[in-house]
Amino acid sequence: MGHSRIYIVAGPRACGKSSFIERCAVGETTHFLPATLFGLATARGPVYFMDLADQEPAEAEELLVHVDLLTPFADQPISSEEELRSTVQSRAFSEYPGTSLFRDCTELAVLTLRVPRITTLRRWLQRSAEQGRTNVRRTAAQIYSDAFAETGYSLLYDAWDEYVAGLPNATNWNVFESADGRSYSVIRADAGQNIANSARAERVCDSQ
């Protein structure tokens, strides 16, 4: 068993993970993070999911990992709902290179951004336009667009939630944005309940 503490900030591509991390890094943590998560602001990183296999945290080190839920599926061809359901499954996260760190660390805090599909789609399209992309990954386009309605987007969260539920030594948190995108609520998920459908909150911290 390792001795590192790992913070995961996870969510679909373009949902606002980097913005959330940046706000933590500039000292706004006291506004919206519980005290037990303050270490996220000073942890080494963010380390991106695709680079996780190259990491070897030292004992007592705190590491921040940025997890794009689309990463394990981005290169998978999906042309039907049947292919979507067979592809977007929790085993893709457990089999992804480097995720053994999540099981081996002493403490694991998982913060999952819960953002509506339409918000993520708008941000993704804006980012693509700003970067001058003329081609986009087909998988992302299908999951984020209206091709499968909410099915594909929901399956990303479902697969992630199932994976996280099996991780030892983990505390699970949901992160919600305010309507104007300027503040967050960070809610502890109840042990033993589905993370996305947790009915009670141990603590809610809203930014001012």
Side-chain angles (χ1 to χ4, degrees):
M1 178 69 71
H3 300 284
S4 57
R5 176 182 297 162
I6 296 178
Y7 300 92
I8 298 174
V9 175
R13 186 166 302 173
C15 74
K17 299 181 295 300
S18 295
S19 295
F20 176 77
I21 290 171
E22 287 171 4
R23 292 189 64 180
C24 292
V26 296
E28 297 184 14
T29 55
T30 55
H31 293 155
F32 53 81
L33 284 182
T36 55
L37 296 177
F38 280 1
L40 186 156
T42 56
R44 178 170 68 85
V47 172
Y48 289 88
F49 201 23
M50 64 185 66
D51 300 321
L52 188 62
D54 298 328
Q55 302 301 310
E56 295 183 5
E59 291 189 6
E61 181 178 24
E62 296 192 339
L63 184 69
L64 171 59
V65 182
H66 176 294
V67 173
D68 176 353
L69 300 188
L70 192 62
T71 296
F73 317 104
D75 296 320
Q76 300 296 318
I78 297 174
S79 58
S80 67
E81 187 167 324
E82 181 180 357
E83 287 185 350
L84 179 72
R85 292 184 180 279
S86 64
T87 300
V88 182
Q89 295 190 14
S90 61
R91 66 172 182 267
F93 293 107
S94 60
E95 295 172 356
Y96 198 78
T99 53
S100 59
L101 287 179
F102 298 159
R103 289 190 168 277
D104 294 342
C105 66
T106 302
E107 296 181 57
L108 180 68
V110 182
L111 294 85
T112 303
L113 274 69
R114 307 284 174 178
V115 181
R117 179 182 66 90
I118 192 65
T119 301
T120 301
L121 174 60
R122 174 175 50 80
R123 291 173 177 170
W124 181 65
L125 291 173
Q126 181 178 353
R127 178 187 299 179
S128 297
E130 290 174 349
Q131 295 177 351
R133 297 180 188 171
T134 56
N135 295 306
V136 295
R137 292 183 183 272
R138 184 178 180 186
T139 305
Q142 289 179 316
I143 288 178
Y144 287 1
S145 73
D146 295 328
F148 297 112
E150 298 295 328
T151 302
Y153 194 71
S154 296
L155 282 173
L156 280 178
Y157 278 115
D158 291 345
W160 174 249
D161 290 342
E162 182 178 343
Y163 165 68
V164 169
L167 292 173
N169 303 318
T171 54
N172 306 310
W173 305 80
N174 293 319
V175 180
F176 300 95
E177 285 187 359
S178 62
D180 61 9
R182 299 179 62 184
S183 63
Y184 301 96
S185 293
V186 180
I187 304 175
R188 172 76 180 271
D190 290 326
Q193 291 188 3
N194 180 280
I195 300 168
N197 299 313
S198 177
R200 295 187 297 111
E202 291 184 8
R203 180 171 182 174
V204 178
C205 298
D206 293 318
S207 66
Q208 305 298 319

